[in-house]
Structures are given as C-alpha cells and as structure tokens.
Amino acid sequence: MEDALEVLRHSTAHLLAEAVKSLYPNAKFGVGPTIEEGFYYDIDLGDDVLTESDLPVIEKAMSKLVSLGQKIERKVITKSEALEFFKEDPYKVELIQDLPENEEISLYSQGNFADLCRGPHVPSTKWMKNFKLLSLAGAYWRGDSKNKQLTRVYGTAFFTQEELQNHLLALEERKKRDHRKLGKELDLFMLSEYGPGFPFWLPNGMILRRELENFWYSVHLKEGYKLIQTPIMLNKELWLISGHWDNYRDNMYTSKIDEQEFAIKPMNCPGGILVYKRDIHSYKDFPLKLGELGLVHRHEASGALNGLFRVRNFTQDDAHIYMTEDQIVEEVAACVRLYDYMYSVFNLSYHIELSTRPLDKYIGKIETWDKAEAALASALKSIGKEYKINPGDGAFYGPKLDFKLRDSMNRIWQCGTIQLDMNLPERFDMTYIDQFGEKKRPVMLHRALFGSIERFIGILIEHYAGAFPTWLAPVQVKVIPVNMAYHYEYSKELVKLLQGEDIRVETDYREEKLGYKIREAQTKKIPYQLVIGDQEVANNLVTYRCYGETEQVTVSVDEFVKLIKKEIKDK
Ligand SMILES: [Zn+2]
Ligand SMILES: [Zn+2]
C-alpha cells in the first residue's frame, strides 16, 4: 500500500511538471522525488518567479490534464538518444551524463510531455484526481550552494478525496501547534540572531525542562544507573583517539587553550570513557551503567536550523553501559522496558527497528556482528517486543535498535536508540578483569531515550498542543478571585497553602472582568483554574475548572490538594 501511494505521488510530480511546462514553456526541470508525506519537483523558471498565488493556477492546469486521461507510456532509449532528446534541458543532461554507459534509460511520456525516469508510474493521468500543491521553497541544484537556486514546489496526493482532506486538516492542526509559535506564546524558549541554533530557555520552559530532567534522573537512579558529568571541551588528542577528529571534524567547533587545540564535544562517549578508565574494573562491577545529561555541540548549516528540532547545541540524555557479552540480552531488555515505561508516560506509541551490519563500511568480524545482532533480537523476543529489520542500516561500529515514536498527529520521530559498539573499546584499549583474572574487552552500549532534550521538548509542545499534563505544566493552577474587595484575603491564603504543597500557582488580581480573566488563563493552557467567590470563602472551598472543559467542580480545599497532588505524582 505504502509503495502504491509512492508511485501515485511520484506520478503526480510528473503531472505537476507537465502542467508547469504548459504554463511556462521555458521551464527546465531538476528532480521530482517522493518524500515522507508527498512529493516535490525542483524547477528552473528562468526569469519567471512563482508565488503561492500561482499554485491554484497550476493545480487547475493539472486537473485539466487529469480529465484528459492521458496515457502514461514507458520507452527505453540509449544514453546518446537520451542526451539528444533532453538537449534543451541542462539539468537532465547532467543527470544522464552521470549514468553508467550501458545503463538502461527509460523515458515516461504523457501528452506532449516526457520525463527521464526509472518509474514505475500509474498507467494514466486519470488516476491523479486527489492532489494538492502545498508550498514553495528555494533549493540549490544538487543541494550545493554554488549551484543555481531552483524553485521547489511541494505537494501531496492520495487515492481518495477523503484521505486528502484528512491530511490537509492534519496539516492545519500542525500549523496551529507549531512549537516555535507556541514556544513564544507560552514563554518557553527563544532564539536570537546572536546565537543561531543555540536556544535560550525562558522561566516557563525552564520549569518544563527541569521536570523532564528530574523525571529522567529519578527513573535512572532506580534502575541502577550512576550519574556523571563530563567537560564540554576536551583536548584534540582525545578526539584523535576516538576517531571524531578524522571522521566528524566538519561538525565540530574548536578553540585554543594555551596554544593547544581543543574541540567542543559533539558526543559524550570519549569523556565518559575517561571516567571508565580511571579505575580497574572487574566483571563483578558489571553491568556498569553511567548516565549523563550532556550538552553537545554539532555544526548544522544555517539553512537547516529549525526551532528546537534542528539546533547546534543540545542535551543528549546519554548513558553508556559496560558489560560482558553474556549480559547483552538482559541489559538490552532492561533498556527496552525502561523506554517502554517512559514513552507511555507521554502517551507516545512507538515501533522498533533493528539496524544490521552495513554491506561494506563496517569494522570487526562478521561473526561478532552476527552475535551482536542476534543478542539484540533475542533481547526483544525475551520481552515479547515486535520489531522491523533495517538491513545494512547499522552504524559502522555496531548494530542498533531505533525507537520511532508516533505523536498525536501521526508523525513519526526517531528518538531513542540502543547501540552496541565494537569500536571505541578497542580504540581506547578498555579492559576489565574476568573471573580467571584475565584482561578482557568490555562490551559497550550507547543509549539515549529522549535523544535530545531540546528536540523532545519541541515534540512534546506539538504533541500536547502546549496543553501539558499537570506534572509538566509550568503553571499548574491559576487562582482568580471574583471580587478583589471580598475574595482577595482568602485567595492569598489559598495560594500560600498550595505553594506550601509544591504546587505551581499563579494569580490574577487585576481589576478585569471575570470572563476575561478566565479566557486568558485558557489561552495560557493552565491545567486548573480556581474561581474564588462568596461560597468558596464562606465554606473553605474551591471551585475548579480543568483546561479545555466547561464543567465546574466545587470541592473542599483539602480534597483539591489531594486530587492535584495525586495527579502530579502519577504523571
Ligand atoms: Zn518518474
Ligand atoms: Zn555514546
């Protein structure tokens, strides 16, 4: 089904090109692949400029071609025929020239339009009734900023009108939930031109972040992890040993101290290994689990930066587990159980993918890889978890499990990973003493559950549309007196009492209309609004209303405290 949808979407990219060609006869075409939820086509319009208002015109031309029901035909040609055929299209010529001499080249044509393509395609334009052009962007030819910038037209297509409409509604909802917009409205974080890609945390965001980190710390301590913190900057020599200097240099920021070169860490592992190597380890110490919420910096092109989703510094919720080979199955199973619990707290479902040995670029013996892959698989089986295999997608140093989370808008996010590493223990000559008193290499496992705390918070903001569960909400209760003259003293006492119970309270003592104050508390998405009037003051009560609900409930102060504290504790 997924593949059929891809064929439809890619065919619709051709339909888009055919329509553009009919409207702009001088247009030249780059590539038009499918992407996660649709397709795009990169187009060189010469002196013409496309704006959003042109999209409906192109859509109309596309619909017309659909109604003509043009047959889509495939034809195989030689490389020289292809070069001749596309001689007016410089981008296609470039693509053809890159093909091997004897490659079979296929041409897909519909009406007066033909495109270079591997296919497959739907048999006729009449299949492509349900499409929508979504947006425009600039894109350098072949992603290289030295090349010309083309116009990228994004669109999507579905087999039925209903699916298309549902998708468009979901896109609208996502716009409303955009974490950059909500981050501003709810005072969670900010970005500044003085530090592109380096987010600033505001007081409300800081509370959210601290709650998340405290949750992480307490769960990991219970699981037997020990916590460390390693430095942000470390000497170049260390990165030479780890291999980062040779393989990851382009993504690292560097500086000099006393004439020596230092790198700002892009990963926590090498620093963590120095902590491991401080002591002599025995098999009896294993599994040794060292956790670190470590701030890492990785260079990203400025054009790729995106709110909290793509940043230049972020906090990895990292941990390294050192163990014997016999312990892999049990420890991986324990990690998966931990992930399962923590994701469920956020109502995030997930699926697991097992990425195996790359075809050519890998280190170590095939037998070791087979053993490691089998260990990951049997860990999952031992706790009854299904998984999908991603052949050849492992890191060069070991196989891994990827956790793909699904948010409330059906988007998939790669967050957690569990990776076995056969490289760093060798490079750093790490050892432990086994039961026969002999030196052995430990197995090293890297794992992160949120991935990046910054990105995870971005995901949560959109997942919850900013209406966080009470335990995470920056402000948990808003106290609103009906009349300042009569209800202020009681409200003040109530606030003191709630604060004494570690509940985050805000008040609204302005001389505004009650309805206005309630509406404003709603826009700030505060979980509980307490309205204090005569009845509450006289009988020591509170009347509360939960965010997004209209029902009001009146209970005693004690009861309210008990109820909200239980909710916070249970998450
Ligand atoms: Zn095609
Ligand atoms: Zn690591």
Side-chain angles (χ1 to χ4, degrees), residues 10 14 117 121:
H10 174 66
H14 280 238
C117 188
H121 287 256

Side-chain angles (χ1 to χ4, degrees), residues 124-143:
S124 152
T125 57
K126 72 169 186 240
W127 283 66
M128 295 177 268
K129 276 193 199 92
N130 308 300
F131 64 84
K132 178 84 190 158
L133 298 182
L134 296 168
S135 59
L136 294 167
Y140 293 108
W141 169 238
R142 301 198 132 178

Side-chain angles (χ1 to χ4, degrees), residues 267-269 318-320 424 444 446-447:
M267 291 177 201
N268 300 304
C269 339
D318 224 338
H320 295 105
L424 290 179
M444 180 177 184
H446 310 251
R447 41 121 291 176

Side-chain angles (χ1 to χ4, degrees), residues 60-99:
K60 220 169 161 186
M62 289 166 74
S63 293
K64 202 173 137 203
L65 296 167
V66 169
S67 66
L68 292 177
Q70 292 171 337
K71 243 176 141 181
I72 299 174
E73 285 168 308
R74 177 172 191 267
K75 196 172 146 199
V76 175
I77 53 176
T78 65
K79 189 167 172 177
S80 59
E81 285 169 329
L83 285 170
E84 172 63 24
F85 188 90
F86 286 104
K87 64 175 189 263
E88 307 286 319
D89 288 271
Y91 305 106
K92 300 288 176 192
V93 166
E94 212 183 304
L95 294 173
I96 297 164
Q97 274 163 348
D98 285 354
L99 295 173

Side-chain angles (χ1 to χ4, degrees), residues 337-407:
R337 266 197 300 261
L338 176 69
Y339 286 26
D340 191 67
Y341 161 64
M342 286 188 75
Y343 294 147
S344 76
V345 167
F346 302 97
N347 267 324
L348 290 161
S349 61
Y350 65 89
H351 73 269
I352 304 173
E353 294 180 8
L354 165 59
S355 295
T356 58
R357 179 171 49 80
L359 274 181
D360 38 11
K361 268 192 117 183
Y362 65 91
I363 57 147
K365 287 192 237 120
I366 290 197
E367 301 91 89
T368 323
W369 274 87
D370 290 348
K371 244 203 256 173
E373 287 167 9
L376 290 179
S378 55
L380 293 175
K381 262 180 222 132
S382 75
I383 50 171
K385 284 275 165 206
E386 307 253 334
Y387 62 94
K388 201 176 111 188
I389 290 189
N390 243 341
D393 215 27
F396 76 90
Y397 53 79
K400 60 182 177 136
L401 299 178
D402 291 323
F403 290 73
K404 313 257 174 168
L405 307 189
R406 185 181 289 274
D407 72 10

Side-chain angles (χ1 to χ4, degrees), residues 364-462:
K365 287 192 237 120
I366 290 197
E367 301 91 89
T368 323
W369 274 87
D370 290 348
K371 244 203 256 173
E373 287 167 9
L376 290 179
S378 55
L380 293 175
K381 262 180 222 132
S382 75
I383 50 171
K385 284 275 165 206
E386 307 253 334
Y387 62 94
K388 201 176 111 188
I389 290 189
N390 243 341
D393 215 27
F396 76 90
Y397 53 79
K400 60 182 177 136
L401 299 178
D402 291 323
F403 290 73
K404 313 257 174 168
L405 307 189
R406 185 181 289 274
D407 72 10
S408 58
M409 282 163 296
N410 257 331
R411 281 180 304 182
I412 303 286
W413 303 91
Q414 154 81 58
C415 287
T417 56
I418 297 176
Q419 311 191 351
L420 282 170
D421 187 341
M422 311 184 219
N423 183 37
L424 290 179
E426 283 295 326
R427 280 180 169 266
F428 280 92
D429 190 24
M430 297 166 73
T431 56
Y432 72 95
I433 310 293
D434 75 2
Q435 62 264 53
F436 307 109
E438 276 173 46
K439 270 191 180 175
K440 284 271 179 67
R441 283 256 182 273
V443 172
M444 180 177 184
L445 185 149
H446 310 251
R447 41 121 291 176
L449 192 158
F450 296 143
S452 138
I453 299 232
E454 286 75 2
R455 180 165 162 273
F456 193 74
I457 289 178
I459 295 169
L460 289 185
I461 294 170
E462 301 198 1

